[in-house]
Amino acid sequence: MRTVRNWFQDTTGGLPRTFWYLWAGTLVNRLGSFVIVFLAIYLTAERGFSEFQAGVVLGLWGAGGAVGTLTGGTLADRWGRRPTLLTAHLGAATMMLALGFARELWLVGLGALLLGMFAEAARPAFGAMMVDVVPERDRLRAFTLNYWAINLGFACAAILAGLAAEANYLLLFVVDATTTVTTALIIFFKVRETRRVRAEPATGPAAPHRGGLGSALRDRVFVGFVGLNILMALVFMQHISMLPIAMGQDGLSPATYGSVIAVNGVLIVAGQLFVPRLIRGRSRSGVLALAALIVGVGFGLTAFADAAWFYVLTVLIWTLGEMLNSPSNSTLIAELSPAALRGRYQGLFSLSWSVATFAAPIAGGFVREQFGNAALWLGCAALGGVVAVAHLLSGPVRERRVRELRTVDAVPAGRGGVAAPAPAVEAAPTRPSATANV
């Protein structure tokens, strides 16, 4: 019993109250993330749109998300984390209801575009705030706990969404909007602004990071890291694009696919809290390389799967890689982001997922149609291997950049024009923001 208590204290103890407000907002948001689970089914089964029309609507949602991540990141740095989050959540809740009541295709498409924009605008502001309030030594634990909340909420949402859809599809939009507003209320009442205005030196390792989004795009170290994430995300996103098609061609029902993919969320909820102790003190680039390799192997084995149990095995394998990848990714993003540009950097990284969400089904469908099912999955394995090698090769450069940024952040006020960083906010309420649920 004492061992369990010690583990719980090591995992959750010592984190700022602000973080727990953010964590609660994440959980509430994800518990209500109904619409994204059933949007394609709603558009085709309930609204009578064709599969192509439904695909266009989903594509507009992704396009809006790409705009939202970049806009949200810029606003988080210039306007502030708190007002960006409040605007994003309230805007998303409004567009959620508008989408639920829209009937004409062009209105549905416009609603999806604006919903994606508002919903995804919260991501970089939330990530920047998490970095603002959690000390560097605790960020791995904090991002792991937040990732756990995301998966717990989403797993429950999938079940609840099914029940709500049986009653009334409009209920999906109403509940989703309600939980988004609830998150906004937590932000409004319990979270305060965490952005600190800092002056950047004219020279030195942080010099390339002055200015706007263009500064982040000119940061070759960070852009290279984002590029590797796009490649990994292209592999990972096949689980919601080509995997159900492959399982269907093996004679497995959509319900079986749902059960198989649920293994991903269950495993993450059950095991993610143990990951920080497993990877603590290890090379981040080594962990990311191992994660890419495991994800590649898991998806590669799909080429040989022909039964539900085999598909479950592949999901178990790539989920283990995902569990290693996520917290390591999050902490490295935080340390590669100059303090004055955290929102923009978070926005640029979030954009990598939007790009993959758009490109993965197109690329996967093309490869599968032209070269066959096995080529797609073995190609995923090869891509995982390429990313693993790239992480090992680029790791030293990234770690050198991290050390440079730490040196800049440590310069006290009056030296080099950089204000000394204030201590991490622990006390007063700071806001919970997860991405607005969709």
Side-chain angles (χ1 to χ4, degrees):
M1 187 66 182
R2 182 174 177 79
T3 302
V4 174
R5 189 182 302 114
N6 289 344
W7 166 82
F8 185 79
Q9 179 61 31
D10 289 343
T11 303
T12 64
L15 291 169
R17 277 206 306 265
T18 289
F19 164 77
W20 290 111
Y21 290 132
L22 293 167
W23 185 90
T26 297
L27 184 58
V28 169
N29 230 343
R30 291 297 176 175
L31 281 171
S33 56
F34 287 2
V35 171
I36 192 60
V37 180
F38 276 81
L39 185 56
I41 298 175
Y42 165 75
L43 293 172
T44 53
E46 179 72 6
R47 299 303 324 285
F49 295 141
S50 69
E51 292 181 3
F52 174 75
Q53 289 172 326
V56 170
V57 171
L58 290 169
L60 288 171
W61 180 84
V67 174
T69 54
L70 294 178
T71 304
T74 301
L75 289 176
D77 287 335
R78 291 185 176 179
W79 191 20
R81 323 305 197 209
R82 188 169 186 266
T84 300
L85 284 166
L86 286 172
T87 302
H89 282 85
L90 293 176
T94 301
M95 296 316 304
M96 190 78 66
L97 291 175
L99 184 59
F101 285 103
R103 290 294 176 265
E104 298 295 330
L105 179 60
W106 73 272
L107 281 175
V108 172
L110 179 60
L113 178 72
L114 295 176
L115 175 59
M117 186 179 69
F118 280 112
E120 294 303 307
R123 280 187 187 274
F126 171 74
M129 176 170 275
M130 178 104 43
V131 177
D132 288 343
V133 302
V134 177
E136 182 182 328
R137 65 180 181 276
D138 294 326
R139 284 174 188 161
L140 179 61
R141 286 193 300 135
F143 280 112
T144 299
L145 286 166
N146 190 66
Y147 185 59
W148 184 85
I150 288 172
N151 282 278
L152 176 61
F154 191 78
C156 294
I159 299 172
L160 296 174
L163 298 175
E166 287 186 4
N168 188 330
Y169 271 103
L170 182 59
L171 190 59
L172 296 175
F173 296 89
V174 173
V175 173
D176 212 331
T178 300
T179 55
T180 304
V181 170
T182 300
T183 302
L185 290 174
I186 298 174
I187 294 169
F188 184 77
F189 288 108
K190 291 295 185 179
V191 177
R192 69 184 182 187
E193 181 58 58
T194 61
R195 180 177 67 106
R196 300 184 182 94
V197 179
R198 297 162 56 93
E200 296 287 352
T203 59
H209 304 297
R210 292 174 293 155
L213 181 62
S215 298
L217 291 171
R218 288 191 296 272
D219 185 341
R220 288 182 292 178
V221 174
F222 188 76
V223 169
F225 182 59
V226 170
L228 291 181
N229 189 69
I230 290 176
L231 295 180
M232 202 70 260
L234 285 172
V235 174
F236 182 71
M237 294 306 293
Q238 298 302 325
H239 80 286
I240 59 174
S241 55
M242 294 298 109
L243 182 59
I245 295 175
M247 291 182 65
Q249 290 191 348
D250 280 333
L252 300 173
S253 68
T256 302
Y257 165 73
S259 299
V260 168
I261 209 65
V263 171
N264 171 256
V266 171
L267 184 59
I268 290 173
V269 170
Q272 188 66 40
L273 294 180
F274 297 94
V275 170
R277 298 189 68 176
L278 181 66
I279 64 178
R280 185 182 300 159
R282 301 186 185 277
S283 163
R284 281 177 299 201
S285 297
V287 171
L288 287 170
L290 178 61
L293 200 59
I294 294 174
V295 169
V297 169
F299 278 96
L301 285 173
T302 308
F304 309 102
D306 58 359
W309 69 267
F310 204 147
Y311 281 107
V312 168
L313 177 62
T314 66
V315 172
L316 283 171
I317 293 172
W318 58 254
T319 298
L320 292 175
E322 180 190 357
M323 291 166 65
L324 292 174
N325 180 79
S326 182
S328 301
N329 244 355
S330 298
T331 55
L332 194 51
I333 297 162
E335 294 189 27
L336 286 172
S337 306
L341 299 176
R342 279 176 184 158
R344 293 173 176 84
Y345 272 63
Q346 292 284 342
L348 182 58
F349 187 80
S350 296
L351 180 63
S352 67
W353 283 100
S354 297
V355 170
T357 300
F358 173 77
I362 297 174
F366 175 80
V367 172
R368 199 169 186 279
E369 182 177 317
Q370 297 296 320
F371 305 103
N373 185 63
L376 169 64
W377 303 114
L378 294 177
C380 287
L383 198 54
V386 169
V387 173
V389 172
H391 273 305
L392 292 176
L393 294 177
S394 59
V397 176
R398 289 198 300 257
E399 294 301 329
R400 184 160 60 247
R401 172 60 57 82
V402 168
R403 289 192 296 271
E404 290 174 350
L405 288 173
R406 283 175 182 164
T407 301
V408 171
D409 285 345
V411 177
R415 295 174 55 191
V418 182
V425 180
E426 198 286 325
T430 325
R431 26 177 192 157
S433 45
T435 54
N437 29 11
V438 231

